[in-house]
Amino acid sequence: MTQILDGKHWSSVIESELAHAVESRKARGLKAPHLAAVLVGNNPASRAYVGHKVKACARVGFQSTLVERPEQITQEELLGIVNDLNTNPEVDGFIVQLPLPDHIDAAKVLEAVNPAKDVDGFHPVNAGKMALGLPCHWPATPMGIMTLLERSGIETSGKHAVILGRSDIVGTPMTLLLRRNGYPGNCTVTMCHSRTRDLHDHTRRADLLIAAIGKPHFVTADMVKPGVVIIDVGINRIADPSKASGHRLTGDVDFDQVAPKCSWITPVPGGVGPMTIASLMQNTLQACEAKHP
Ligand code: GUN
C-alpha cells in the first residue's frame, strides 16, 4: 500500500516546536528570531515563495523583514543591502531569493552574506562545512527532505538513492547528505543529470528516488521499481483553465501513474515545499540562538 510522506503534517509539527521555542525565549527575556528576505524583481514564483516565508514567520512568532527592490537594481546596490543585513544586529538570518536577474553575479552576492546569517546555507563556507559533516546551516530544501525521511521513519541505510538533478540548491547537497554516515544517510548514491545516458536504467535501480529537475511529470511509472520511495521536489506551474488563476502546481513525477508503485511518495503541493519553509525557520532559530543563547 502506498503511504504519503506528509510535508504539510510534519511542517506544522515543526512550526509548533518553533512557536514553543519562541515562547520559551520570550519567557527568559530573550528576543524572538528575526528573518529578513531580499526579493529582486517581479518573478511570480519568487514572490509567492517569499510570501510563504514571511507568513510562516508570523505563524511561529518570528520577526520578519521583506526588502523589495526592482529588477534594475545594480550589483553594487544589492551588495550594499547584503552588507547592511550582515551588520544589522536586529537581524539573525536572511536570504536573497533566487533567481537573480542576469546582470547580477549571483555567486558574488551569495558569497557576500555573513555565513553565520546565511540561513539558506548557500555560502561556500556552509556548503564546504556540510560536505565535511561539520555543524553549519544546511540548505533548506535538502534539510527539509532529510527531516521528512527522519520523522517518517524511512530506512535509508544501504539503500540505493538516485538523485535527478545536479543543482547547487538541491541535487548536489542531497547527494552529499544521503551519502553521509548517519541517519538519514548511509545510502549508495547515483547522481543523474541532463547528460546522463540510459537514465531509465539508473532510475529503475533506485530504492529512493529524488526528482529535482523542474520538468512536469518527467518521472513515469515505467521508470521506477515497485516499492520505491519517491521525493518529488518539482514545483511546476502548468496551465489549467479549470482554475481561477489559470494554472496549477504539479511535480516532476506523474503522481497518479507512479504512486501505486511506491511504498512512500511526497505529494505536490504538500510535500517538500512546506518542509523547505519549516527548515528555513529552524535555521533562523539556530542562528538566533548562536548569537543570543
Ligand atoms: N529559489 C528557489 N529555491 C530557493 C531557496 O531555497 N532559497 C532561495 N533564496 N531562493 C530559492
Side-chain angles (χ1 to χ4, degrees), residues 32 51 73 85 94 110 116 119 134 142 157 163 179 220 253 270 275 283 293:
I73 189 170
L85 292 169
F94 67 98
L110 297 180
V119 285
L134 299 170
S157 183
I163 320 276
R179 93 201 195 306
T220 48
V253 178
M275 295 305 294
N283 278 344

Side-chain angles (χ1 to χ4, degrees), residues 65-85:
T65 300
L66 176 56
V67 183
E68 285 186 80
R69 290 293 182 274
E71 188 86 18
Q72 300 77 15
I73 189 170
T74 65
Q75 170 123 343
E76 287 62 38
E77 284 168 326
L78 188 50
L79 287 171
I81 291 169
V82 167
N83 191 47
D84 289 346
L85 292 169

Side-chain angles (χ1 to χ4, degrees), residues 15-62:
E15 283 193 6
S16 32
E17 292 167 4
L18 291 167
H20 275 113
V22 173
E23 285 312 312
S24 143
R25 287 184 63 78
K26 283 187 175 161
R28 285 176 286 141
L30 298 169
K31 76 186 251 333
H34 184 172
L35 173 70
V38 182
L39 177 61
V40 176
N42 262 318
N43 179 324
S46 292
R47 190 160 285 281
Y49 295 151
V50 169
H52 290 315
K53 292 168 188 178
V54 169
K55 280 191 194 136
C57 283
R59 285 197 298 272
V60 300
F62 286 10

Side-chain angles (χ1 to χ4, degrees), residues 38 79 82-83 85-86 93-96 106-126:
V38 182
L79 287 171
V82 167
N83 191 47
L85 292 169
N86 280 341
F94 67 98
I95 64 160
V96 180
K108 268 223 169 83
V109 173
L110 297 180
E111 248 186 276
V113 176
N114 173 356
K117 292 192 177 189
D118 169 38
V119 285
D120 251 339
F122 290 168
H123 191 281
V125 164
N126 282 317

Side-chain angles (χ1 to χ4, degrees), residues 24-25 28-31 92 285-293:
S24 143
R25 287 184 63 78
R28 285 176 286 141
L30 298 169
K31 76 186 251 333
D92 299 299
L285 174 65
Q286 202 182 63
C288 176
E289 284 181 338
K291 223 164 46 140
H292 314 279

